[in-house]
Amino acid sequence: MSDSDDSMDNVRVNKVNKKGKSQKLPEEIEDIRTRVNVGRYAPTQVATMSFHSTFNSNGYDNSFELGEFKEEFDIQIQKCTDEELVFDMIGIDAPVANAFRRILLSEVPTMAIEKVVISNNTSIVQDEVLAHRIVNTTPQTTDQVQVQGAPAPTASNFVPSLQNKDVVAWTPPEQMMDNEYLLFKLDVKCEARKEPNKLNDNQEEHVNHKVYSGQLEWVPIGNQKKWFKGEKVVRPVYNDILLAKLNPGQEISLECYCVKGTGKMHAKWSPVATATYRMLPEVTFKKSIKGADAKLLKSTCPMNVFDIEDDRAVTARPRDCTVCRECLRPDGFEHKIRVSLLKQHFVFSIESVGQMVAKEIFREALKIFYEKCHASRNALNESREFAKNRNKATVLK
């Protein structure tokens, strides 16, 4: 049995009404509720049916039940590396999945370069272009650090600086707080002599002919030297990002100031290169496909979803299906194959830019999602209390 078959069993749950009687929708209605049907020309059954009275005529209570949600909800990790996390989130609707995706993209805080103060630049690259390259192409690592058993300031608790933020001629504050800024310096001069460049496959070239992100030097402020040390020292994520090219005699001297921010302020603060989700595909056979048709089906699918066993086509890798519908295009195949998507089974993919490990981004997003739910509940309770008090006041009058 494939993963999609297991998910199908999880989704089809009998409800019990207040009188203790089992509730079950007719099979064709249950299919409309739980699946998107991918036809040869267009998808159907795309609506999310979450309204409590949607199936009243069938005697089915479609209300949200916390106990049922806890039973059905599940997270299954499919792939986990420092750069990428792929997991299934089962038992939620599309609006919830999309809310979580938006949090991953725009609300998980990180550190990024906000201001560049250039004191000398004799290169061919204009000041504003050089600053733009440094700001938007050089993510910094400041993730989880433990010092003597206590959490040190990280991207999650650095305070965003608003001082002089909108002033064009920005100048650094006289006293910089160690929980507010990260400081990097770049001071390079191209020399006529040549030597191997480690950042360019040891090719012989003028010293500092090419300026890379790895040449940005972190300058600790206050207690930062104690907080960030060893493998957790603050540094650019990638050392080989080309920032500028210099000729002998040209030089660059500048300072970069990093502050905390989120992706909704600017994309440079987003911790993910991409965060996507898709509904899990389900490929089933209405009729058996054998012989030459089976070989045709296998060759037609660009994602190699099908195999042939005992001269009959079988679904071997349904997760790889991209719903391209090529398998439905040969004459007669649309009546033999059904491609659908499970409405409450989402496959998430998180690709980290590098500031944070992918699984840490996931954890931070879960915390933010929980805080949002908690704030919404408190707001509802407050509005309910306000309505009660207003009604009491009206009665007294």
Side-chain angles (χ1 to χ4, degrees):
M1 184 177 286
S2 66
D3 293 340
S4 57
D5 292 332
D6 293 336
S7 304
M8 177 177 61
D9 292 337
N10 289 336
V11 171
R12 293 181 178 177
V13 177
N14 293 345
K15 288 195 177 183
V16 177
N17 60 22
K18 294 179 181 179
K19 297 181 180 180
K21 294 182 180 179
S22 176
Q23 296 177 311
K24 187 175 180 180
L25 287 171
E27 188 175 342
E28 61 276 12
I29 303 298
E30 180 69 10
D31 187 81
I32 293 172
R33 188 179 76 89
T34 59
R35 282 162 176 72
V36 175
N37 182 45
V38 181
R40 183 176 181 180
Y41 300 105
T44 56
Q45 305 175 187
V46 296
T48 300
M49 299 181 178
S50 55
F51 192 62
H52 68 91
S53 61
T54 303
F55 304 106
N56 269 1
S57 59
N58 298 96
Y60 184 86
D61 183 7
N62 199 43
S63 304
F64 174 81
E65 295 177 3
L66 183 59
E68 182 184 328
F69 171 77
K70 288 180 179 179
E71 268 187 39
E72 294 181 14
F73 182 75
D74 192 17
I75 295 176
Q76 300 173 358
I77 305 296
Q78 304 295 333
K79 180 181 179 182
C80 183
T81 64
D82 287 351
E83 296 81 23
E84 185 179 11
L85 178 65
V86 179
F87 61 93
D88 292 4
M89 192 174 285
I90 306 167
I92 60 171
D93 289 327
V96 178
N98 193 51
F100 189 69
R101 181 190 67 87
R102 291 176 67 88
I103 290 172
L104 288 166
L105 287 170
S106 61
E107 297 195 45
V108 176
T110 62
M111 300 292 290
I113 297 171
E114 170 69 1
K115 298 294 182 183
V116 179
V117 178
I118 300 176
S119 54
N120 189 16
N121 176 22
T122 59
S123 72
I124 195 172
V125 184
Q126 299 96 325
D127 289 355
E128 59 271 24
V129 176
L130 178 61
H132 185 272
R133 284 192 62 78
I134 294 173
V135 166
N136 293 307
T137 65
T138 315
Q140 318 299 325
T141 104
T142 53
D143 61 340
Q144 304 296 320
V145 180
Q146 298 288 330
V147 180
Q148 297 177 353
T154 62
S156 62
N157 55 18
F158 264 74
V159 197
S161 173
L162 300 178
Q163 182 177 356
N164 299 328
K165 184 174 180 182
D166 297 322
V167 179
V168 177
W170 185 85
T171 55
E174 294 181 3
Q175 290 186 340
M176 287 192 295
M177 303 296 292
D178 52 14
N179 69 336
E180 186 176 9
Y181 286 97
L182 292 175
L183 173 62
F184 284 87
K185 285 189 177 182
L186 178 64
D187 196 355
V188 293
K189 182 176 182 179
C190 184
E191 302 177 13
R193 64 186 176 89
K194 292 186 177 182
E195 63 179 30
N197 187 344
K198 295 179 181 178
L199 295 173
N200 193 22
D201 298 327
N202 288 320
Q203 293 185 14
E204 289 278 339
E205 57 185 38
H206 295 296
V207 176
N208 293 327
H209 169 57
K210 294 179 180 177
V211 182
Y212 291 93
S213 56
Q215 293 174 267
L216 287 168
E217 180 184 355
W218 173 52
V219 181
I221 302 170
N223 294 318
Q224 289 180 359
K225 196 169 184 179
K226 298 178 183 178
W227 298 335
F228 306 107
K229 57 185 178 181
E231 293 183 358
K232 298 297 185 179
V233 68
V234 179
R235 65 189 185 283
V237 175
Y238 306 105
N239 293 326
D240 56 352
I241 299 173
L242 183 63
L243 301 179
K245 290 184 179 181
L246 304 177
N247 285 324
Q250 294 180 339
E251 59 183 306
I252 295 175
S253 181
L254 54 82
E255 294 179 343
C256 304
Y257 296 87
C258 301
V259 296
K260 174 186 171 182
T262 58
K264 61 184 174 182
M265 297 167 63
H266 191 284
K268 66 186 177 184
W269 277 296
S270 180
V272 295
T274 182
T276 63
Y277 68 86
R278 63 189 179 97
M279 287 181 278
L280 183 72
E282 181 184 63
V283 184
T284 56
F285 290 92
K286 301 175 185 177
K287 298 178 182 179
S288 295
I289 298 179
K290 300 179 180 179
D293 283 349
K295 293 178 181 178
L296 174 61
L297 175 64
K298 188 177 187 304
S299 63
T300 299
C301 179
M303 299 307 296
N304 197 26
V305 169
F306 302 99
D307 273 348
I308 298 176
E309 296 179 3
D310 299 329
D311 200 37
R312 187 177 68 174
V314 295
T315 305
R317 289 163 290 276
R319 294 182 70 90
D320 294 344
C321 177
T322 59
V323 200
C324 65
R325 296 177 287 185
E326 287 299 316
C327 59
L328 302 175
R329 300 195 193 282
D331 289 341
F333 275 29
E334 62 180 311
H335 303 298
K336 297 179 180 180
I337 302 172
R338 187 193 180 190
V339 180
S340 56
L341 299 169
L342 301 181
K343 291 182 180 180
Q344 295 187 331
H345 191 142
F346 296 91
V347 181
F348 276 84
S349 176
I350 302 172
E351 294 181 23
S352 172
V353 172
Q355 299 108 314
M356 302 169 65
V357 176
K359 63 181 180 182
E360 292 299 331
I361 299 173
F362 176 57
R363 286 176 181 152
E364 289 297 319
L366 283 177
K367 291 177 186 176
I368 294 169
F369 190 77
Y370 170 80
E371 290 169 1
K372 285 178 173 290
C373 294
H374 190 67
S376 298
R377 186 179 66 177
N378 288 343
L380 287 172
N381 290 338
E382 288 175 7
S383 63
R384 190 179 293 117
E385 287 298 320
F386 176 78
K388 280 184 181 179
N389 294 334
R390 184 177 61 181
N391 292 337
K392 286 180 181 178
T394 304
V395 171
L396 290 174
K397 285 182 181 180

